[in-house]
Amino acid sequence: MVRVVRATPVEIETAVQALRDGELVAFPTETVYGLGANARNPAAVRKIFEAKGRPTTHPVIVHLDNPRFLHHWVRDVPGPAARLAERFWPGPLTMVLPRAANVHDILTGGQDTVAVRVPAHQMAQQLLTAFGGGIAAPSANRYGRLSPTRAEHVREELGEAVRIVLDGGECQIGLESTIIAFEGQEVRLLRPGAVSAAQIREVVGGLLVGAHLESPRVPGSTPSHYSPQTPMSIVPSGQIDTQAATSSEGGRRVAVLAQRLPLKAHKYVTWVNAGRRPEQYGHDLYANLRTLDKAACQQILVQDVPPDERWDAIRDRLTHAASGNIDIDTTGAMAVLP
Ligand code: TXA
Ligand code: MG
């Protein structure tokens, strides 16, 4: 069961003071942990990019405690955006909207839009309300790496670069928010998440899917993202056992992330059964990949996930995590991609 933890008033006061002083504060949300800074202080937001090693062309999300503050950040709220806010906020939905004139370039990567989200997590809400302003926050991991879903993951990722980590236990969802953008009358899904494409369609009618790949600013459009350090490949679902056996021949240590137990015991294989339920699988995904990354294996094999929409966010993260390293052809031979 997920722990829902309230921060003590002293913890919140310390975090708020740090934000006012231009320092960084990591905090839990229902999706993943965020690395926060005062969104009105460009020098503070710059520290986020330094701590993560993230290029400043990648814009960050502004977190608010209440949709009523949207007009402080956004100059125009299209009808569909207002309806989505009504339906899904607070919650795991981020909307990319035309930015207000006083929103700093460092938040937007110089674009004319700003990404905004109202998180539902109790501790994030407490922090935002006590701070009384917007908090800019990407996921609290090093650039391109696995997102943190526990306070100790933030420590592993960022060490001393972040002085305050509010500990809210495990994130309930475990995958980053759904991101949508508005283009004239159209609504586009940029990143799948817990708010599904079907749920968005119910509110807005049509939905375009997929990022404009020419934009470097769109989530995961860089070759590899959400990645473990161990080379990772996705294996067709029915071939995971044979692939694990082939890859571990000669005593190579191999890690497997599957949706079931192995058909037979494999020597040299560390096998994690993440189950067949997408909510649980998603909740555990980053923690599982972190564990397998530390298992001293030469390769992580991931059993491909089912094609239905409930697995969209998971498939998206797995595809990015696996891109740019090793490709497996179905004969079991491996090729390192250029
Ligand atoms: O669940 C989440 O969204 C978490 C929690 C902490 O809220 N945050 C998160 O932030 O995942 P980040 O920075 O890791 O991912 C946000 C993505 C980035 O890949 C960025 O490219 C995209 O949102 N983004 C931000 N502003 C944008 C904009 N104006 N236009 C297009 N994409 C934008
Ligand atoms: Mg991220």
Side-chain angles (χ1 to χ4, degrees):
M1 213 26 226
V2 178
R3 239 180 351 141
V4 177
V5 187
R6 283 183 73 83
T8 65
V10 172
E11 284 171 320
I12 291 292
E13 193 40 50
T14 309
V16 165
Q17 198 51 54
L19 291 170
R20 290 195 180 128
D21 292 342
E23 300 299 330
L24 304 183
V25 171
F27 62 98
T29 80
E30 69 277 30
T31 58
V32 300
Y33 276 75
L35 180 61
N38 177 358
R40 292 290 188 204
N41 179 344
V45 177
R46 253 180 225 108
K47 290 183 186 171
I48 296 177
F49 290 91
E50 283 161 25
K52 280 182 63 92
R54 167 158 156 160
T56 50
T57 46
H58 282 250
V60 293
I61 299 172
V62 176
H63 295 70
L64 306 175
D65 68 342
N66 194 303
R68 73 172 184 272
F69 301 120
L70 197 53
H71 66 277
H72 294 182
W73 302 88
V74 166
R75 67 171 183 272
D76 173 43
V77 181
R83 295 201 298 279
L84 288 166
E86 175 77 16
R87 171 79 175 76
F88 296 113
W89 278 351
L93 177 73
T94 296
M95 294 201 270
V96 174
L97 293 162
R99 71 165 168 180
N102 60 353
V103 171
H104 203 277
D105 275 345
I106 188 79
L107 295 173
T108 69
Q111 298 181 100
D112 193 36
T113 52
V114 62
V116 186
R117 168 160 117 80
V118 177
H121 195 286
Q122 209 171 27
M123 207 184 273
Q125 279 282 333
Q126 266 181 293
L127 178 67
L128 284 160
T129 301
F131 177 58
I135 299 181
S139 51
N141 50 280
R142 305 260 326 146
Y143 179 62
R145 298 286 175 215
L146 300 166
S147 294
T149 55
R150 296 178 194 160
E152 61 263 30
H153 299 166
V154 179
R155 286 276 174 233
E156 279 172 30
E157 286 286 324
L158 301 171
E160 293 309 305
V162 48
R163 209 159 46 85
I164 300 177
V165 182
L166 293 177
D167 186 349
E170 286 181 32
C171 298
Q172 191 195 338
I173 293 170
L175 298 175
E176 304 80 355
S177 60
T178 306
I179 304 184
I180 54 169
F182 300 86
E183 300 165 2
Q185 299 303 307
E186 318 255 48
V187 185
R188 180 181 293 274
L189 180 72
L190 296 182
R191 179 172 74 182
V195 174
S196 70
Q199 285 176 304
I200 295 170
R201 275 191 207 101
E202 270 173 31
V203 177
V204 303
L207 180 66
L208 304 172
V209 175
H212 283 305
L213 284 177
E214 67 272 20
S215 166
R217 286 149 181 173
V218 146
S221 62
T222 45
S224 125
H225 222 86
Y226 318 115
S227 297
Q229 274 153 294
T230 313
M232 176 178 139
S233 344
I234 298 171
V235 178
S237 185
Q239 295 173 25
I240 188 67
D241 274 86
T242 43
Q243 188 61 56
T246 314
S247 294
S248 59
E249 260 167 26
R252 275 178 94 248
R253 296 193 56 85
V254 171
V256 172
L257 181 63
Q259 296 135 54
R260 57 165 172 75
L261 292 168
L263 299 177
K264 68 174 183 65
H266 299 284
K267 216 178 166 189
Y268 308 119
V269 175
T270 305
W271 187 290
V272 168
N273 171 14
R276 294 176 199 276
R277 290 175 36 230
E279 293 76 23
Q280 187 68 42
Y281 188 110
H283 171 272
D284 297 340
L285 177 63
Y286 288 128
N288 279 336
L289 288 177
R290 246 170 230 284
T291 303
L292 293 178
D293 211 10
K294 289 185 208 147
C297 291
Q298 290 172 48
Q299 196 187 2
I300 300 173
L301 302 176
V302 178
Q303 182 184 20
D304 202 2
V305 297
D308 73 87
E309 198 176 69
R310 295 177 312 145
W311 293 84
D312 278 359
I314 293 164
R315 197 176 320 99
D316 171 77
R317 304 314 187 273
L318 288 174
T319 306
H320 284 111
S323 78
N325 46 50
I326 290 185
D327 187 32
I328 291 196
D329 72 30
T330 47
T331 63
M334 274 189 301
V336 178
L337 293 176

